[in-house]
Amino acid sequence: MKIYTKTGDQGITSLLGGVRVPKSDLRIDAYGTIDELNSYVGLLRDQEVNNSRTDILKEIQDRLFTIGADLATVPGKDKVKKPDLHAEDIQMLEHQMDSMEADLAPLTAFILPGGHQSVSFCHLARTVCRRAERLAVELASYEQVNEMVIQYLNRLSDYFFVLGRKMAQELEVEEVTWKPRV
């Protein structure tokens, strides 16, 4: 099988379920952003500080493929075979956050992203996740979107925030808090 099909050369692509749409379609933008996020999660997984979290990050990548398939499916095409999200997927993120936060100092101010390249990668993943969530919410105002997709993305961005704090702690990097001018 060749990787190129030439079927998208005119700026049109197919959703799962057979409908062809412009590549500028909001649904394409939404699952394309999930793909971008998945690449950032791969970059996070490659950071030495995350060696103990490789399995969790792979699981998140798997769920992002699930979300991508969900968003790439024509609404109402229930016979398309694809994996589903489960409440346990969201609970896993919550459990991971609770576990990491148990060892972190309480948050008393906004934190400026940065301090270490690995932590910065985590903040990039967080912001791309927030964009993916916004796109999914916007898409849901026009078409059917699995509500668990939006919930998962919301929780996942929170996870990345906590993970960034945990990574900073493990890397012994001082968190820089935002001190607004007055």
Side-chain angles (χ1 to χ4, degrees):
M1 180 174 116
K2 291 186 178 186
I3 191 69
Y4 60 91
T5 63
K6 301 182 184 181
T7 60
D9 288 353
Q10 303 304 311
I12 305 293
T13 191
S14 293
L15 297 174
L16 296 175
V19 174
R20 297 198 41 87
V21 297
K23 290 184 176 184
S24 60
D25 189 272
L26 181 57
R27 186 168 286 279
I28 306 303
D29 198 12
Y31 76 72
T33 303
I34 295 297
D35 187 33
E36 180 184 355
L37 174 58
N38 210 333
S39 295
Y40 276 107
V41 177
L43 184 61
L44 274 177
R45 189 169 45 87
D46 291 342
Q47 301 305 302
E48 188 175 326
V49 67
N50 287 325
N51 284 346
S52 65
R53 290 179 277 270
T54 299
D55 290 342
I56 293 162
L57 292 168
K58 281 182 186 175
E59 185 174 337
I60 289 169
Q61 287 186 291
D62 180 82
R63 295 313 169 274
L64 290 173
F65 264 97
T66 296
I67 289 170
D70 196 271
L71 291 172
T73 302
V74 175
K77 293 285 186 176
D78 299 329
K79 295 192 192 280
V80 173
K81 289 192 89 152
K82 59 182 177 45
D84 290 324
L85 284 176
H86 301 282
E88 295 81 23
D89 299 322
I90 295 168
Q91 292 165 357
M92 183 277 294
L93 293 174
E94 292 170 349
H95 172 75
Q96 291 299 317
M97 283 186 282
D98 292 343
S99 178
M100 288 186 288
E101 282 186 314
D103 296 330
L104 295 172
L107 192 60
T108 59
F110 287 106
I111 297 170
L112 298 178
H116 189 282
Q117 187 176 35
S118 295
V119 175
S120 295
F121 290 149
C122 196
H123 283 286
L124 284 169
R126 177 185 56 79
T127 59
V128 172
C129 188
R130 283 286 187 215
R131 179 164 30 100
E133 179 188 7
R134 290 190 305 271
L135 288 168
V137 167
E138 182 180 3
L139 181 61
S141 70
Y142 299 106
E143 299 180 32
Q144 177 185 344
V145 172
N146 179 348
E147 65 185 37
M148 290 200 67
V149 165
I150 295 168
Q151 291 171 12
Y152 186 87
L153 293 173
N154 183 47
R155 209 70 83 249
L156 183 59
S157 63
D158 293 338
Y159 169 83
F160 289 134
F161 179 78
V162 176
L163 176 60
R165 294 194 70 213
K166 185 67 175 170
M167 290 167 63
Q169 179 191 57
E170 291 172 357
L171 292 165
E172 299 179 359
V173 174
E174 180 183 348
E175 291 181 318
V176 178
T177 57
W178 179 51
K179 295 178 178 76
R181 288 187 294 187
V182 284

